[in-house]
Amino acid sequence: MATFLYKLGRLAFRRRHFVALIWVALLTLAGVGAASAPPAGTTSFSIPGTEAQKAFDLLEQRFPGQSADGATARVVFKAPSGEKMTDAGNKATVEKTVDELADGSEVASVADPYTGKAVSKDGTIAYASVRYDVSGMELEESTKHALEDAAEQARDAGLTVEVGGDALQAVPETGATEIIGIAVAAVVLVITFGSLVAAGLPLLTALIGVGIGVSSITALASALELGSTTSILAMMIGLAVGIDYALFIVSRYRAELAEGREREDAAGRAVGTAGSAVVFAGLTVVIALVGLAVVNIPMLTKMGIAAAGTVAIAVLIALTLIPALLGYAGRRVKPAGAKGGLLGRRRRDGKDGAEKAGAEKAGAEKETGPAKANLGTRWASFVVRRPLAVLLLGVIGLGAAAIPASDLELGLPDDGSQPTSTTQRRAYDLLSEGFGPGFNGPLLVVVDAKGSDAPKDAFTQVSDEIKGLDGVVAVTPPAPNKGGDTATISVIPDSKPSSVQTEDLVHAIRDAGGDIKADTGAETLVTGSTAMNIDVSEKLNDALLPYLVLVVGLAFLLLIVVFRSILVPLKAALGFLLSVMAALGAVVAVFQWGWLSGLMGVEETGPVMSMMPIFMVGVVFGLAMDYEVFLVTRMREAYVHGEKPGQAVVTGFKHGARVVTAAAVIMMAVFAGFIGSNEAMVKMIGFGLAIAVLFDAFVVRMAIVPAVLALLGKKAWWLPKWLDRALPNVDVEGEGLRTADERGSGPDEDRELVRT
């Protein structure tokens, strides 16, 4: 692989105009596609194999024309202090508002509070239910404005009016902190490279890759029913890995220049060595993201595949566009360690030959003495001397951070998790005040009596059975369809939608349905947004272990090929489990317990988003393997070329620690930038990934990994001979390139190598 990528890097360097033109054309094509694509339509949130989805599909079939997936709104009214909603003036205002809402072109129905018994017992709060023909994402802006205007007119009449439901659903925004994250990345790159040009290359290529990826998602959003969160996730991961991959190749390019190589050869060798690590690191991320398909939740599958596509684009850009741009940059990208002295005055385009560069380097060392050991070298030397102490400290620290994860509660966000500044949250609170917390998450029971001899009796029996269950506040009379074979029953719990008590009630209704089916032949199904959220959480929990086995297993096999070792990949996987558990513990502490919630902008604590554990497992594993591959391949490279195991660890840190540190800080900054989002899901993902990178890069990869390798010694690189013969030689260390070097090949011979 190293030889192929070496050829690719030199080809891109020489044919830079052609390579740059291709990527600019792709960016333009994606941009035009995004601009001309129809707006994204409805995002179907189907959960195959769940009871809630089965009931939803049954409603579509048995109650045609009722727009079961249509948007809903609850316009909640509260009377001024000392008044009631039944007072003549307040009642007239509400009825006028209902009439205005009913005139909307996309409105399917509006329920009057006074005829629908939607006034609280104390008479201070009432609500009007509005149902639309289309989903919240498909509503025309004029319809949303009409809803807001009607509420505002009622406010002008003296009532407190708030609007809940998904009719006013907005596209998530990431906030200005995303820009701050990119700015932090730029500063770190400048400090790392000491050059604006060298620092600008990773940023430029990452933005091009993200531009192509996000524009492509936008262009395909309508056809593939991709939600707005999909593009945000792709942007988040694409920016992080795009900058990191380019950073590693540019850094290796500067190191090759410092060895005295001409620029075209240095670009080829950078792509052949660091590029090999990029390919395998990218593969682990892609495996982790595409592996989300095993959960069998279409929305999650689409998110994973879209993000994986953006990662693949980042890898291709790093292998082709980076060497092309290095060709344009010329001498403005200096060798590693060069600040403008002897090493900074490089030969022009290699005309003076590698011998002169080597002489300059030797002369510089003679004048200044041996280079001072960098921080990475000093740290690695300390770890190699005290491996057991470092290992224990790292494991105990991550174990302590993971303790809150034992209290993990999962759920999906509803209006109760919205900021208190939003009208949806205020409507949620008003409904809880007037009708009880369970009113915000009613359960919809669907009774399928097609196989029953007495459907009406079955409907009545189900209703009576539910009334006798604990935790039920109200049960509406059965509402049969035209055929009389199916009925719906609304159940109001006495607990809020995301509570354990509501989950227990859902299971109790389903358990009772089993006995009813045995007696009457009618099947009882529970659906609605609350039941759907409960089913999603359970489905994600059930899929976590198979997903973990699949992703870690595939990546483990991949890393065996890369490192030609059994223990190194095993250590990488165990270290990942430590970091992801610690990160989950931090998420629980902030978003569930409320620690530092004010600093993070978390206005409402509650259950952790259901998909967070499985999502973190996938993404963090891929990113963790990035650092493992980049850092340990340098150690492997040194060991293969004759260094002792302990010294190989130090050499790996000497060349890789600064770059891995910079990459981790950049990735943390990019992820942390999404904490400013107004969407709870995006905020939680941003924080979780940022803290996971902190734990994995600086505790696991920088401390635990070198400590374990120092303790294992030569055993770390052990591989059974039969397996060594069976595995393909991917040559991540660039051994083939070094062998050609050792034969004394100069620039002409290198060019001949490229031709062959």
Coordinates of all heavy atoms in Angstrom, one line a residue, residues 60-100:
E60 N -52.8 4.0 9.8 CA -52.7 4.5 8.4 C -53.6 3.7 7.5 O -54.3 4.2 6.6 CB -51.3 4.3 7.9 CG -50.3 5.3 8.5 CD -50.3 6.6 7.8 OE1 -49.9 6.7 6.6 OE2 -50.7 7.6 8.5
Q61 N -53.7 2.4 7.8 CA -54.5 1.4 7.0 C -56.0 1.5 7.3 O -56.9 1.6 6.4 CB -54.0 0.0 7.2 CG -54.8 -1.0 6.4 CD -54.4 -2.4 6.7 OE1 -53.3 -2.6 7.3 NE2 -55.2 -3.4 6.3
R62 N -56.4 1.5 8.6 CA -57.8 1.5 9.0 C -58.4 2.8 9.2 O -59.7 2.9 9.2 CB -57.9 0.7 10.4 CG -57.2 -0.7 10.4 CD -58.1 -1.7 9.7 NE -57.4 -3.0 9.6 CZ -57.4 -3.9 10.6 NH1 -58.1 -3.6 11.7 NH2 -56.8 -5.0 10.4
F63 N -57.7 3.9 9.3 CA -58.2 5.2 9.4 C -57.7 6.1 8.3 O -57.0 7.1 8.6 CB -57.9 5.9 10.8 CG -58.6 5.2 12.0 CD1 -58.0 4.1 12.5 CD2 -59.7 5.7 12.5 CE1 -58.6 3.4 13.6 CE2 -60.3 5.1 13.6 CZ -59.8 4.0 14.1
P64 N -57.9 5.8 7.1 CA -57.4 6.6 5.9 C -57.9 8.0 5.9 O -59.0 8.3 6.3 CB -57.9 5.8 4.7 CG -59.1 5.1 5.2 CD -58.9 4.7 6.6
G65 N -57.0 8.9 5.5 CA -57.4 10.3 5.4 C -57.3 11.1 6.6 O -57.6 12.3 6.7
Q66 N -56.9 10.5 7.8 CA -56.8 11.2 9.0 C -55.4 11.8 9.3 O -55.1 12.3 10.3 CB -57.2 10.3 10.2 CG -58.7 10.0 10.2 CD -59.1 9.5 11.5 OE1 -58.4 9.5 12.5 NE2 -60.4 9.0 11.6
S67 N -54.5 11.6 8.3 CA -53.1 12.2 8.4 C -52.5 11.8 9.7 O -52.2 12.7 10.6 CB -53.2 13.7 8.2 OG -53.8 14.1 7.0
A68 N -52.3 10.5 9.9 CA -51.7 10.1 11.2 C -50.3 10.7 11.5 O -49.9 10.8 12.6 CB -51.7 8.6 11.2
D69 N -49.6 11.0 10.4 CA -48.3 11.6 10.5 C -48.3 13.1 10.3 O -47.2 13.7 10.2 CB -47.3 10.9 9.5 CG -47.7 11.2 8.0 OD1 -48.9 11.6 7.8 OD2 -46.9 11.0 7.1
G70 N -49.5 13.7 10.3 CA -49.5 15.1 10.2 C -49.1 15.9 11.4 O -49.1 15.4 12.5
A71 N -48.7 17.1 11.2 CA -48.2 18.0 12.3 C -49.3 18.3 13.3 O -50.5 18.3 12.9 CB -47.6 19.3 11.8
T72 N -49.0 18.5 14.5 CA -50.0 18.9 15.5 C -49.6 20.1 16.3 O -48.4 20.4 16.3 CB -50.2 17.7 16.5 OG1 -49.0 17.4 17.2 CG2 -50.8 16.5 15.8
A73 N -50.5 20.8 16.8 CA -50.2 22.0 17.6 C -51.2 22.0 18.7 O -52.4 21.7 18.5 CB -50.2 23.3 16.8
R74 N -50.8 22.4 19.9 CA -51.7 22.7 21.0 C -51.5 24.1 21.4 O -50.5 24.6 21.9 CB -51.3 21.8 22.2 CG -51.9 20.4 22.1 CD -51.5 19.6 23.3 NE -52.3 18.3 23.4 CZ -52.0 17.4 24.3 NH1 -51.1 17.6 25.2 NH2 -52.7 16.3 24.4
V75 N -52.6 24.9 21.2 CA -52.6 26.3 21.5 C -53.2 26.4 22.9 O -54.3 26.1 23.2 CB -53.4 27.2 20.5 CG1 -53.3 28.6 20.9 CG2 -52.9 26.9 19.1
V76 N -52.3 26.7 23.9 CA -52.7 26.7 25.3 C -53.0 28.1 25.8 O -52.2 29.0 25.6 CB -51.6 26.1 26.2 CG1 -52.1 25.9 27.6 CG2 -51.1 24.8 25.6
F77 N -54.1 28.3 26.4 CA -54.6 29.6 26.9 C -54.6 29.6 28.4 O -55.1 28.6 29.0 CB -56.0 30.0 26.4 CG -56.2 29.8 24.9 CD1 -56.5 28.6 24.3 CD2 -56.0 30.9 24.1 CE1 -56.7 28.5 22.9 CE2 -56.1 30.8 22.7 CZ -56.5 29.6 22.1
K78 N -54.2 30.7 29.0 CA -54.3 30.9 30.5 C -55.0 32.2 30.8 O -54.5 33.2 30.2 CB -53.0 30.8 31.2 CG -53.1 30.8 32.7 CD -51.7 30.6 33.4 CE -51.9 30.6 34.9 NZ -50.7 30.4 35.6
A79 N -56.0 32.2 31.6 CA -56.7 33.4 31.9 C -55.9 34.3 32.8 O -55.0 33.8 33.6 CB -58.0 33.0 32.6
P80 N -56.1 35.6 32.8 CA -55.4 36.5 33.7 C -55.8 36.2 35.1 O -56.8 35.6 35.4 CB -56.0 37.9 33.3 CG -56.5 37.7 31.9 CD -57.0 36.3 31.8
S81 N -55.0 36.6 36.1 CA -55.2 36.4 37.5 C -56.5 36.8 37.9 O -57.0 37.9 37.6 CB -54.1 37.1 38.3 OG -54.3 36.8 39.7
G82 N -57.2 35.9 38.6 CA -58.6 36.3 39.1 C -59.7 36.0 38.1 O -60.9 36.1 38.5
E83 N -59.3 35.6 36.9 CA -60.4 35.3 35.9 C -60.3 33.8 35.6 O -59.4 33.1 35.9 CB -60.1 36.1 34.6 CG -60.2 37.6 34.9 CD -60.0 38.4 33.6 OE1 -60.1 37.8 32.5 OE2 -59.7 39.6 33.7
K84 N -61.4 33.4 34.8 CA -61.4 32.0 34.3 C -61.6 32.0 32.8 O -62.1 32.9 32.2 CB -62.6 31.2 35.0 CG -62.4 31.0 36.5 CD -63.5 30.2 37.1 CE -63.3 30.0 38.6 NZ -62.1 29.3 38.9
M85 N -61.2 30.9 32.2 CA -61.4 30.7 30.8 C -62.8 30.6 30.4 O -63.1 30.8 29.2 CB -60.6 29.5 30.3 CG -59.1 29.6 30.4 SD -58.4 31.1 29.5 CE -59.1 30.9 27.9
T86 N -63.7 30.4 31.3 CA -65.1 30.3 31.0 C -65.8 31.6 31.0 O -67.0 31.7 30.6 CB -65.8 29.3 31.9 OG1 -65.5 29.7 33.3 CG2 -65.4 27.9 31.7
D87 N -65.1 32.7 31.4 CA -65.7 34.0 31.4 C -66.0 34.4 30.0 O -65.3 34.0 29.0 CB -64.7 35.0 32.0 CG -64.5 34.8 33.5 OD1 -65.3 34.0 34.1 OD2 -63.6 35.3 34.1
A88 N -67.1 35.2 29.8 CA -67.6 35.5 28.5 C -66.5 36.1 27.5 O -66.4 35.7 26.4 CB -68.8 36.4 28.6
G89 N -65.8 37.1 28.0 CA -64.7 37.7 27.2 C -63.6 36.8 26.8 O -63.2 36.8 25.6
N90 N -63.1 36.0 27.7 CA -62.1 35.0 27.4 C -62.6 34.0 26.5 O -61.8 33.5 25.6 CB -61.5 34.4 28.7 CG -60.9 35.4 29.6 OD1 -60.4 36.5 29.1 ND2 -60.8 35.2 30.9
K91 N -63.8 33.5 26.7 CA -64.4 32.5 25.8 C -64.5 33.0 24.4 O -64.2 32.3 23.4 CB -65.7 32.0 26.4 CG -66.3 30.9 25.6 CD -67.6 30.4 26.3 CE -68.2 29.2 25.5 NZ -69.4 28.7 26.2
A92 N -64.9 34.2 24.2 CA -65.1 34.8 22.9 C -63.7 34.9 22.2 O -63.6 34.7 21.0 CB -65.7 36.2 23.0
T93 N -62.7 35.3 23.0 CA -61.3 35.4 22.4 C -60.8 34.0 21.9 O -60.3 33.9 20.8 CB -60.3 35.9 23.4 OG1 -60.7 37.2 23.9 CG2 -58.9 36.0 22.9
V94 N -61.1 33.0 22.7 CA -60.6 31.6 22.3 C -61.4 31.2 21.1 O -60.8 30.6 20.1 CB -60.9 30.6 23.5 CG1 -60.6 29.2 23.0 CG2 -59.9 31.0 24.6
E95 N -62.7 31.4 21.1 CA -63.5 30.9 19.9 C -63.1 31.7 18.6 O -63.1 31.1 17.5 CB -65.0 31.1 20.2 CG -65.5 30.1 21.3 CD -66.9 30.4 21.7 OE1 -67.4 31.5 21.4 OE2 -67.6 29.5 22.2
K96 N -62.8 33.0 18.8 CA -62.3 33.7 17.6 C -61.0 33.1 17.1 O -60.8 33.0 15.9 CB -62.1 35.2 18.0 CG -61.6 36.0 16.8 CD -61.4 37.5 17.3 CE -60.9 38.3 16.1 NZ -60.6 39.7 16.5
T97 N -60.1 32.8 18.0 CA -58.8 32.1 17.7 C -59.0 30.8 17.0 O -58.3 30.5 15.9 CB -57.9 32.0 18.9 OG1 -57.7 33.2 19.6 CG2 -56.6 31.4 18.5
V98 N -59.9 30.0 17.5 CA -60.2 28.7 16.9 C -60.7 28.9 15.4 O -60.3 28.2 14.5 CB -61.2 27.9 17.7 CG1 -61.8 26.7 17.0 CG2 -60.6 27.5 19.0
D99 N -61.6 29.9 15.2 CA -62.2 30.1 13.9 C -61.0 30.5 12.9 O -61.0 30.1 11.8 CB -63.2 31.2 13.9 CG -64.5 30.7 14.7 OD1 -64.7 29.5 14.8 OD2 -65.3 31.6 15.1
E100 N -60.1 31.4 13.4 CA -59.0 31.8 12.5 C -58.1 30.6 12.2 O -57.6 30.5 11.0 CB -58.2 32.9 13.2 CG -59.0 34.2 13.4 CD -58.1 35.3 14.1 OE1 -57.0 34.9 14.6 OE2 -58.6 36.4 14.3

